Amino acid sequence: MIRRLRRAVRRVYRSTVDLSHPARSPLGSAVVNCVVYEDGKRQPGDWPAEEAVRRVRRSGRGFVWIGLHEPDESEFMGLAKLFGLHPLAVEDAVHAHQRPKVEQYDDTLFAVFKTCRYVDHEILTSTSEVVDTGELMVFTGRDFVITIRHGRHGSLGPLRERLEAAPERLAMGTSSVLHAIADQVVDDCLVVADAVQDDIDHVETAVFNESASRAGRSEAGRIYQLKRELLELKRAVAPLDRPLGMLANRTMPVVTPAVRPYFRDVTDHLARLTEQIAAFDNLLDSILQAHLAQVTVAQNEDMRKITAWAAIIAVPTMVCGIYGMNFEHMPGLGWTYGYPAVVALMAAACYVLHRSFRRNGWL
């Protein structure tokens, strides 16, 4: 019941995909929105990219934030020329599948983040997808922010609304947007990690549930699948340590001194997340080892039971085999009570062996 309630809460608060923003640029359908901010406030109207840049640079204050979703090379080249983006960064942004990183090209920062989403499932199986990842690229300059999103999740619409509700943060410049994006990426990964913990707790309960020890022998596939999905989350989180450390501790042209302490807060969240993932990995290793040990013990118990019953059956088999030989002179053949006596002897021997095996825990 608690597990289903947690999933219902995650569904309610999950960010929706923001692909239907009314602001469209002539550069192509990949542009989700183009917004001008001055003194931390959003300026009304739909702004083509070139006009927005001219206004911002003419006034000398504020910045333009352009959001795109999976642009192709032809759609993105116009923006690349307009803002003077480095060709290597442009290639990475278009083709995606990059490792999380932060690179500086002159006065422009290029950041790559992995976005994570927990995939809801009623029952965890050995083939269940648990962690779904996408990519988010951010170009940050003195007067512009360009975000490129790959994947069907990681929408920045709710983040943009939160920032617009706090104009004092947007007034700190483009680095405040970069910080907010990095903070959301790490917080989303924390939510995924908490959800994965529910799956780990469920598997752990199933493994150590004595009443389900037989059914628990199939848990190895689920444990291994969780380890694979945890590795996907680790690949999204682990490489962020060095880039976020650079943003928090190094002097960079785009990152203002007032925003730098906020990046240190993100690195603290990242450290907690990294430790949590490492703990999950170690816990899954322990659960897997315990499960394999349980399987081995169960197999040994089965072998002991088979051996005990084989020993019990061997007694009447031996006696019947002896009296099945075709000899004329054998003890008890001419005795009236010979047959019932032999049957009683076999039954007594089997009873004694059965009690002995039960006493020693073999049956």
Side-chain angles (χ1 to χ4, degrees):
M1 180 63 69
I2 295 177
R3 182 181 177 84
R4 292 181 179 177
L5 181 60
R6 288 179 180 174
R7 286 176 175 171
V9 172
R10 284 197 295 270
R11 291 192 188 103
V12 172
Y13 288 99
R14 181 178 301 143
S15 300
T16 56
V17 178
D18 182 20
L19 296 180
S20 57
H21 196 282
R24 293 292 178 179
S25 167
L27 291 172
S29 60
V31 178
V32 177
N33 45 36
C34 178
V35 181
V36 174
Y37 295 95
E38 291 183 358
D39 299 327
K41 297 181 180 179
R42 177 172 180 162
Q43 302 304 303
D46 298 340
W47 297 89
E50 294 184 3
E51 184 179 344
V53 172
R54 279 198 301 268
R55 168 169 176 166
V56 168
R57 291 179 177 174
R58 185 169 54 247
S59 64
R61 57 194 178 92
F63 62 91
V64 56
W65 183 353
I66 302 175
L68 301 95
H69 181 260
E70 296 183 353
D72 57 31
E73 189 171 356
S74 61
E75 290 175 323
F76 193 57
M77 286 308 298
L79 287 177
K81 292 179 180 178
L82 179 62
F83 292 100
L85 305 179
H86 197 280
L88 291 177
V90 171
E91 182 181 356
D92 290 345
V94 171
H95 295 96
H97 303 294
Q98 302 298 315
R99 190 173 186 267
K101 60 183 179 179
V102 172
E103 295 179 342
Q104 183 174 353
Y105 296 97
D106 297 328
D107 292 336
T108 302
L109 279 181
F110 175 60
V112 178
F113 301 103
K114 288 279 190 180
T115 58
C116 296
R117 179 179 69 93
Y118 178 77
V119 181
D120 282 319
H121 45 266
E122 291 298 327
I123 300 176
L124 178 66
T125 66
S126 59
T127 58
S128 295
E129 184 181 13
V130 179
V131 179
D132 183 25
T133 58
E135 290 188 49
L136 181 62
M137 285 80 167
V138 185
F139 289 92
T140 309
R142 182 182 59 83
D143 54 9
F144 68 89
V145 176
I146 303 175
T147 55
I148 304 100
R149 185 162 52 88
H150 293 267
R152 300 296 298 180
H153 61 87
S155 171
L156 296 178
L159 172 65
R160 187 189 293 269
E161 294 175 0
R162 290 196 299 271
L163 286 175
E164 291 174 355
E168 67 279 2
R169 293 186 60 185
L170 285 174
M172 299 170 70
T174 56
S175 58
S176 65
V177 177
L178 179 61
H179 158 261
I181 293 173
D183 188 47
Q184 174 170 299
V185 167
V186 174
D187 286 346
D188 288 346
C189 291
L190 282 169
V191 172
V192 173
D194 292 339
V196 170
Q197 185 174 10
D198 292 341
D199 286 326
I200 295 176
D201 293 342
H202 180 73
V203 170
E204 184 179 20
T205 301
V207 168
F208 292 100
N209 187 1
E210 294 182 1
S211 62
S213 59
R214 291 288 179 180
R217 296 187 183 187
S218 62
E219 297 295 331
R222 300 206 297 169
I223 298 172
Y224 185 71
Q225 180 65 13
L226 272 179
K227 286 184 66 67
R228 286 180 59 87
E229 296 298 313
L230 194 64
L231 179 61
E232 186 76 12
L233 180 60
K234 186 176 181 180
R235 287 174 178 169
V237 171
L240 285 176
D241 182 52
R242 184 171 177 273
L244 289 180
M246 292 170 54
L247 294 173
N249 301 312
R250 290 189 184 181
T251 301
M252 294 185 174
V254 177
V255 181
T256 60
V259 177
R260 196 173 300 132
Y262 291 92
F263 280 108
R264 285 198 287 269
D265 180 67
V266 178
T267 57
D268 291 340
H269 294 173
L270 181 66
R272 173 200 159 190
L273 178 60
T274 303
E275 293 173 358
Q276 192 173 8
I277 293 174
F280 287 165
D281 197 26
N282 293 332
L283 179 59
L284 284 173
D285 286 337
S286 301
I287 294 174
L288 182 59
Q289 292 175 1
H291 170 67
L292 295 177
Q294 285 182 334
V295 171
T296 301
V297 170
Q299 290 176 343
N300 290 338
E301 291 178 354
D302 290 342
M303 289 302 300
R304 287 194 300 179
K305 290 179 180 179
I306 294 172
T307 303
W309 283 112
I312 293 173
I313 295 173
V315 173
T317 302
M318 180 186 66
V319 175
C320 292
I322 293 174
Y323 276 89
M325 293 185 293
N326 295 322
F327 290 105
E328 182 178 353
H329 302 287
M330 294 187 68
L333 289 181
W335 185 30
T336 304
Y337 302 102
Y339 176 76
V342 171
V343 172
L345 177 64
M346 290 190 297
C350 290
Y351 176 75
V352 172
L353 286 174
H354 187 271
R355 280 186 58 86
S356 177
F357 286 131
R358 284 289 297 272
R359 191 180 299 113
N360 292 325
W362 283 48
L363 290 175

